[in-house]
Amino acid sequence: MKFHVIAALALAISGVATGLRPAEAADKPTVKVGYFSQLHDAAILDLPFGDLKDKVNFEYVKFQRYADAAIALVRGDIDISSLGYANLITEAAKNTDPNFKFITGLARGAINLVCSNDVKIADWPDLKGKTVGVVSGFPEIFIDDALRTHGQSEKDITKVNFAVAGPPVLQALKDKTVECVSVFEPFGATAVGGKYAYYPPTNIGDNSFKGLNNGIAASTAFIEKHGDLVGDIRNAANKSTAKFREDEGKWVDFIISSQGFPKDIVEIGVKRVTLDSTLYPTEAATLSANMAALGLLKAKPSAEQLQRFFLQQ
């Protein structure tokens, strides 16, 4: 059950997978789904196995960047997708009518600070003077805001910027070019599982915007055409979120089987992610102010404009 295979073969609960005859499978609506190979996409990846498994054909398209998924949603190449709150805010800042809307939440956290084993961080003041690798974008927002939230300053650390999360970030930590890194999961868990780094008690997901990470977005065209189905998708995803929250073992097993991540990495990483189906428009406004302060937005969207990008339940 590897989702890159499901995407390539468009298994998507097809006639072969369900035992339906081709004509019966063709009668079901097809939903094109954008996803990311990450721990916190569990609920959207679980859609073909929940309440809609005999009612909908799900075709999965894998993305590497939220920005690319947002473009695909706007163009109508996909119908729904895992998407970051930062992408919602960026679109809202354009002060245009929404081309997509968040229909439910997926996760908070999932961006963490990990430090080299010989760098002792017991509390926030201990980060002062440290060299921290920062993946541009959300990880920088997380650590800057967390420092301010806990009475420190982002100017107290020396940042080394990385364009994307990946092996170069982990290698810099392993080589001690940097003392800590602010990075997406499961990269943090990979470093901890490799036994050359640890999670300090300074949780950067504990910040002023509740560590907002991602949710499920649907294109407005899809919402207008399939409003009832959007509601069914939201309900199915929320059930999956509740299932995985209540039974961490099911979450771990599902991610291992669907994404092929090593078991030890998944078991470490899931403890640093909070699955959460709630939508947070108020906290999104706080996050937008952080993004504007970092120069990631030309203009901060109004609270009213942000609200338009959340589907009213």
Side-chain angles (χ1 to χ4, degrees), residues 1-171:
M1 189 181 62
K2 300 272 178 72
F3 268 81
H4 58 276
V5 175
I6 288 176
L9 299 180
L11 174 58
I13 313 304
S14 66
V16 174
T18 63
L20 295 174
R21 293 189 300 274
E24 291 176 310
D27 289 340
K28 297 191 295 182
T30 295
V31 178
K32 295 181 179 179
V33 184
Y35 82 102
F36 297 81
S37 188
Q38 53 193 19
L39 308 177
H40 40 301
D41 268 22
I44 196 168
L45 292 169
D46 195 39
L47 287 173
F49 311 102
D51 289 350
L52 300 177
K53 64 182 180 180
D54 296 322
K55 301 175 183 178
V56 179
N57 295 314
F58 289 103
E59 293 183 358
Y60 281 78
V61 181
K62 184 177 179 179
F63 290 92
Q64 298 294 334
R65 303 189 311 154
Y66 280 137
D68 295 331
I71 291 170
L73 270 176
V74 170
R75 292 193 313 206
D77 296 335
I78 55 177
D79 302 310
I80 68 171
S81 183
S82 167
L83 205 64
Y85 266 83
N87 303 95
L88 178 152
I89 292 166
T90 299
E91 284 297 310
K94 296 176 183 177
N95 200 31
T96 58
D97 290 334
N99 289 304
F100 61 77
K101 296 185 179 184
F102 268 28
I103 64 173
T104 194
L106 282 174
R108 294 183 291 112
I111 296 175
N112 289 293
L113 186 71
V114 291
C115 295
S116 177
N117 286 336
D118 58 1
V119 176
K120 303 307 177 186
I121 305 296
D123 204 350
W124 294 96
D126 296 333
L127 286 169
K128 189 170 184 177
K130 297 297 185 289
T131 300
V132 180
V134 176
V135 178
S136 298
F138 235 19
E140 184 172 12
I141 296 171
F142 261 64
I143 191 167
D144 283 4
D145 188 89
L147 284 166
R148 292 193 296 269
T149 298
H150 293 276
Q152 309 301 308
S153 169
E154 62 271 26
K155 296 178 181 178
D156 290 337
I157 63 173
T158 299
K159 295 179 185 175
V160 177
N161 291 100
F162 293 85
V164 295
V169 179
L170 299 184
Q171 192 62 48

